[in-house]
Amino acid sequence: LLRQKRLRPPKRGALHSTNYKMSALTSYEGLSSFILKSGGFVAVLSSVAVGMLYLKQDQLLYFPEIGGIPRRAANNPRQYRSPDEYNIRHESVMIEGDDGVKTHAWLLLQSEPKLAPTIVFFHGNAGNIGLRLPNSSQMYKYLSANILMVEYRGFGDSDDVKPSEAGLKRDSEAALRYISQHPQIDS
């Protein structure tokens, strides 16, 4: 005789397992919805942060005055005021850019400037030109080079305008023109 197969009731855990799978699926859908929503929030927040950085980049990059350091080199502590303090022959010049903004510069001249190479040296994004005198005096001495130390617009004795990347490009082009036309320097 053929035995009839009896249907057995599902094991106690099997029914629970089906419910668990259904609740896990629902949780997964909820989790993916949460991730999408929070991802959108993070994307918006990131976009706002990047936009703010872009708009404020010049203010974050350029610091004409820092801490207790004065804007003008003449008011710096000793050894940071002038190339005269290092017994370096120099000219203090104002170089006019094509937009009419004047930038201050010190041209440190070797004893025979036509025989020496010339370095155009921008002082950095903070403080004034005098703070870089120790660096430039070492270059002057060990490289035997003329050095044109240029202050950024808005820094030191340069015209008081907001510094920007476009302005610095103009200032560097004006500095190169100045150096190429200087009568004591071989360009």
Side-chain angles (χ1 to χ4, degrees):
L1 291 160
L2 291 174
R3 276 178 149 188
Q4 245 183 358
K5 201 173 190 182
R6 272 187 164 178
L7 291 174
R8 295 183 187 165
K11 292 182 183 175
R12 186 166 192 251
L15 191 56
H16 266 275
S17 173
T18 307
N19 287 340
Y20 175 75
K21 287 179 183 172
M22 289 301 284
S23 73
L25 184 59
T26 307
S27 293
Y28 176 75
E29 289 170 355
L31 180 63
S32 64
S33 173
F34 172 76
I35 289 172
L36 285 174
K37 287 178 184 175
S38 62
F41 176 73
V42 169
V44 168
L45 190 61
S46 298
S47 297
V48 168
V50 168
M52 291 300 293
L53 283 173
Y54 179 77
L55 292 174
K56 299 288 184 184
Q57 65 184 326
D58 288 342
Q59 292 169 334
L60 295 170
L61 286 174
Y62 308 111
F63 303 98
E65 297 176 38
I66 52 171
I69 303 295
R71 177 179 164 167
R72 304 212 180 317
N75 300 326
N76 283 350
R78 282 185 294 180
Q79 297 299 305
Y80 297 96
R81 294 181 187 154
S82 165
D84 287 331
E85 295 175 304
Y86 292 85
N87 297 317
I88 295 175
R89 186 179 90 160
H90 72 283
E91 298 174 2
S92 182
V93 297
M94 294 298 283
I95 302 170
E96 188 170 342
D98 61 2
D99 59 352
V101 174
K102 293 179 183 165
T103 54
H104 175 250
W106 286 329
L107 176 58
L108 312 182
L109 294 163
Q110 293 290 329
S111 56
E112 295 186 48
K114 279 201 182 259
L115 301 178
T118 301
I119 297 171
V120 178
F121 179 80
F122 280 85
H123 67 77
N125 72 326
N128 62 54
I129 198 172
L131 300 176
R132 301 332 185 270
L133 274 168
N135 303 68
S136 57
S137 69
Q138 295 295 311
M139 289 190 296
Y140 177 84
K141 179 179 177 182
Y142 292 112
L143 300 178
S144 299
N146 303 309
I147 301 174
L148 179 66
M149 296 179 67
V150 185
E151 286 191 288
Y152 292 159
R153 55 183 55 217
F155 283 68
D157 292 323
S158 297
D159 285 353
D160 193 15
V161 298
K162 281 182 123 179
S164 67
E165 184 179 352
L168 295 178
K169 183 179 178 205
R170 286 187 178 111
D171 297 344
S172 62
E173 290 168 350
L176 288 173
R177 268 193 312 275
Y178 172 80
I179 253 347
S180 67
Q181 297 168 0
H182 195 282
Q184 293 182 28
I185 294 175
D186 184 23
S187 55

